[in-house]
Amino acid sequence: MLVKWIRCTVVDRRGFERGQRKWAGLLGEPGFRGQGGGWSRTRPSVAHLVAFWESRAFYDSFMARSHDRLAAAQVGTFKDSRVRLFEYELDVKVGFQPVFADADVLRMAHCQVRADRVDHFMLMQEKVWNPAMAGSPGMLRGLMGRAPGEEFLILSMWESAAERGKYRPERVERLGLRAQTEADVRAVTGDVADLEPSWTV
């Protein structure tokens, strides 16, 4: 499965949201699995979207044929668009499905991993981070994706903001020490978005 993560700074919120509804046209696309997103909690003008495709071939075909027509409705409503593609590596929790209906919050952790520590990083994701996140109240599902250049995206969906808040900084710090995250990772950035149900396709 291919995961597409889009982050952009919105300059015309009403126009952007109106254009976002046009993406319902994705439903007829071969290989399309789902799309959702929302507004960043820390930067109110930043929108995050994640889309899922069965394979890179289906995605490339869509980009060549239908993308520009669907995207036309949002031209001029945003700037600083950043797009990243990741290949699915493993589930966080079990049986990941690109479903948004039961989720309120989307969390993204973008990790740049040291080349000689990739195997260790992936092992720790599986053995330390995944069980901890799976056991967190309100955590519904998630996945880890990988892009060339030792770049990873850990995506998780949560039931509500209150439940996401129970994943406390001191617990994260303790898990980080156990997983030797500092030794594995060159840089990590992330964000938390409140999902907008009307953006779900």
Side-chain angles (χ1 to χ4, degrees):
M1 184 166 60
L2 185 78
V3 184
K4 181 180 188 176
W5 174 31
I6 307 155
R7 177 178 53 200
C8 54
T9 303
V10 174
V11 293
D12 171 5
R13 195 173 173 117
R14 283 183 67 188
F16 182 86
E17 292 200 304
R18 203 165 45 242
Q20 197 55 45
R21 289 193 277 278
K22 302 283 187 192
W23 290 99
L26 283 166
L27 285 172
E29 290 294 330
F32 174 71
R33 300 278 306 278
Q35 178 171 288
W39 296 105
S40 165
R41 200 174 274 176
T42 54
R43 291 163 294 172
S45 63
V46 170
H48 291 279
L49 289 145
V50 285
F52 303 89
W53 294 82
E54 273 173 39
S55 70
R56 180 67 191 251
F58 279 121
Y59 170 74
D60 286 343
S61 170
F62 160 72
M63 290 300 288
R65 289 179 299 99
S66 312
H67 174 270
D68 291 358
R69 179 174 46 81
L70 294 174
Q74 283 176 312
V75 169
T77 65
F78 64 89
K79 59 178 185 176
D80 304 331
S81 174
R82 294 185 66 192
V83 177
R84 293 275 189 281
L85 299 174
F86 299 87
E87 289 287 350
Y88 165 87
E89 282 285 336
L90 56 92
D91 285 351
V92 177
K93 219 163 181 173
V94 291
F96 179 82
Q97 291 293 322
V99 175
F100 296 87
D102 54 350
D104 303 314
V105 175
L106 185 67
R107 182 174 184 273
M108 294 132 297
H110 184 213
C111 304
Q112 305 280 351
V113 178
R114 292 185 174 92
D116 60 334
R117 301 283 296 187
V118 166
D119 290 346
H120 184 265
F121 173 81
M122 291 176 73
L123 182 68
M124 290 300 101
Q125 190 61 41
E126 200 176 338
K127 304 292 185 197
V128 176
W129 288 106
N130 282 11
M133 284 176 75
S136 294
M139 196 280 187
L140 297 168
R141 66 187 74 82
L143 61 76
M144 180 171 81
R146 183 178 184 179
E150 293 74 52
E151 189 183 344
F152 291 84
L153 176 68
I154 293 123
L155 196 66
S156 53
M157 296 184 192
W158 300 74
E159 208 166 27
S160 74
E163 297 298 347
R164 166 73 185 90
K166 291 177 186 171
Y167 198 56
R168 289 183 295 275
E170 62 271 19
R171 183 161 181 242
V172 173
E173 200 176 311
R174 202 164 60 242
L175 290 166
L177 287 169
R178 197 170 135 213
Q180 300 171 16
T181 303
E182 232 171 78
D184 289 350
V185 175
R186 283 188 290 111
V188 60
T189 54
D191 208 352
V192 177
D194 290 311
L195 287 166
E196 287 285 342
S198 64
W199 297 8
T200 299
V201 182

